[in-house]
Structure formats: C-alpha cells, structure tokens
Amino acid sequence: DHQGGLCGEDVGLDRFEPKYFLISGVPNNNTRLSTKVRVSAKRGQRILIRMLNASYSLVTMRIVGLDATIYGNDGRHLGSADCPWSKPIQVPAGTTVETITAQRRDMIVVPTQAGQYRVIFEFRDWVTGQIQDGGRGIAETVINVT
C-alpha cells in the first residue's frame, strides 16, 4: 500500500539489518590493523578527523584517552562570522559523539603524550538503539602517537 505508514504506524519500511560495517571502505574485522584507517602522528601535531555517517544507522564514536574539539558540522564552521550563535564543541576523552545518517563532523585532536589511542565506532539501530547485527556492528581503529 502506497499510503502505508503515513498515519504513524510502523509498517516495517524502516527495517534495516546490515551485515557489513566499514571505516573508509575497510571492513570492521580489519580496521584495527589496516593502515588505510590507522592514524600516525607526533606529539603536539594537529589531527583532523572528518567523520561522515554514510550508513542508515545512528553511529557513535569515541576516542579513548584524547580530547577533541568539533569545529564543523555538516560543512559549516562552528563559531564563524556567518554563524555567530554557534561555537566549537569540546569533547572530553572517552565522550560519545553521535552522528545520524548523512551527518558530517570535523574535529581536531592534538595529542600531548605519546601512546596508542583507541577510536571506537558503534553502528546502532535507529529504533532500538542496540548495536547492529547482534553486537557485531562495532569498528575500531587507533591513533598512534610518537
């Protein structure tokens, strides 16, 4: 029925059950070791993380051990002259950042100590909020700082 769901009832049109979870084209079972997604930096070096949620899921991301600052959202610079009502968003280490479908975020990380920092992405179901594919919808990479 072409009118199914127009009155608010759930007719199953939002059913989405992915089996593959990627970071920059790398499947989640390889993201920890892949040089395509792993970041190498020096202490004090500014790292730009440009995150695009190209899925039909809610995606959460957190960086364990490093603070970040979100400077852009959906291509708009936060705190710029054309957006004086906004300001950059401080993200303390380990804090979850959520993105919805097609949302983009630009964030800067400046590591002050050498180490290996985990970056964890969780692909979550829109309706239940649970991690997709029975908990397998997790991808992880690292920022390696020397």
Side-chain angles (χ1 to χ4, degrees), residues 10 13 20 61 63 77 117 141:
D10 182 3
L13 298 176
Y20 304 100
M61 189 250 336
I63 304 171
H77 181 73
Y117 301 93
T141 189

Side-chain angles (χ1 to χ4, degrees), residues 36-62:
K36 286 180 71 174
V37 295
R38 180 184 211 114
V39 175
S40 295
K42 294 182 178 168
R43 233 176 31 172
Q45 183 177 0
R46 291 167 56 97
I47 302 166
L48 170 65
I49 299 172
R50 180 161 285 151
M51 184 177 165
L52 161 66
N53 181 353
S55 73
Y56 184 65
S57 300
L58 172 69
V59 176
T60 62
M61 189 250 336
R62 69 183 180 280

Side-chain angles (χ1 to χ4, degrees), residues 8-136:
E9 70 274 14
D10 182 3
V11 293
L13 298 176
D14 59 357
R15 186 172 162 194
F16 181 64
E17 298 172 354
K19 300 291 181 210
Y20 304 100
F21 307 94
L22 311 170
I23 300 176
S24 296
V26 178
N28 62 332
N29 60 335
N30 294 327
T31 54
R32 274 214 77 171
L33 303 175
S34 174
T35 57
K36 286 180 71 174
V37 295
R38 180 184 211 114
V39 175
S40 295
K42 294 182 178 168
R43 233 176 31 172
Q45 183 177 0
R46 291 167 56 97
I47 302 166
L48 170 65
I49 299 172
R50 180 161 285 151
M51 184 177 165
L52 161 66
N53 181 353
S55 73
Y56 184 65
S57 300
L58 172 69
V59 176
T60 62
M61 189 250 336
R62 69 183 180 280
I63 304 171
V64 179
L66 290 175
D67 297 335
T69 304
I70 299 173
Y71 284 98
N73 193 50
D74 287 337
R76 293 193 166 81
H77 181 73
L78 300 176
S80 64
D82 61 335
C83 296
W85 55 85
S86 68
K87 63 181 179 178
I89 302 167
Q90 302 301 314
V91 182
T95 301
T96 298
V97 175
E98 293 183 346
T99 57
I100 58 174
T101 298
Q103 188 173 33
R104 297 165 290 161
R105 299 211 191 252
D106 294 331
M107 58 187 84
I108 300 275
V109 176
V110 183
T112 58
Q113 295 187 13
Q116 194 171 75
Y117 301 93
R118 296 171 56 209
V119 184
I120 303 163
F121 297 87
E122 297 174 342
F123 297 78
R124 296 184 167 272
D125 185 273
W126 274 110
V127 177
T128 66
Q130 299 298 309
I131 295 173
Q132 292 276 13
D133 196 22
R136 289 186 292 270

